[in-house]
Amino acid sequence: MLRFMDWSVVAMGCVLVLGSLGGRWWERTKVSTGDNPDPGMRYFWAWLPLLIGLGMISATLPSLLHAPHPLVEVVDTLNFVLAVAVLVFTVRLGSGFFRSRSTT
């Protein structure tokens, strides 16, 4: 049962990555038709699911494939760097979002 749950995490990461790529394609078609979407939110919705999906895949897949321990450690380190990048990315976007909605 646990093996199935681990593979479901990998599958959900793949869905997020594919959804992000589909969202980027969709935004390209909207921009080519003349719509002017919000660039900050467009950037957010294009990159955040991609990064989270890659983090989900890289957190689970090496152990499921019985990779050697040094490789698992390297992937875990890269996953931590990815998590910090997502945190910084979200905080920067959130501060710009709340700053633009101030009443003063």
Side-chain angles (χ1 to χ4, degrees):
M1 182 67 181
L2 288 175
R3 186 68 96 194
F4 171 74
M5 291 170 54
D6 288 341
W7 280 110
S8 67
V9 170
V10 172
M12 187 60 194
C14 291
V15 166
L16 282 171
V17 168
L18 291 175
S20 173
L21 295 175
R24 295 173 113 204
W25 174 77
W26 180 260
E27 287 295 324
R28 276 193 188 161
T29 59
K30 282 178 65 176
V31 169
S32 67
T33 60
D35 292 341
N36 190 10
D38 180 25
M41 292 306 287
R42 183 174 65 91
Y43 189 77
F44 178 73
W45 286 115
W47 283 101
L48 188 64
L50 178 70
L51 295 176
I52 290 175
L54 287 176
M56 289 173 69
I57 292 169
S58 66
T60 311
L61 197 59
S63 63
L64 285 173
L65 297 177
H66 303 293
H69 185 69
L71 180 65
V72 172
E73 290 297 321
V74 168
V75 171
D76 283 345
T77 303
L78 292 174
N79 201 18
F80 177 73
V81 170
L82 182 65
V84 170
V86 167
L87 178 67
V88 169
F89 173 64
T90 305
V91 167
R92 284 186 59 204
L93 187 67
S95 67
F97 178 76
F98 288 119
R99 185 176 49 236
S100 66
R101 294 194 181 253
S102 67
T103 58
T104 58

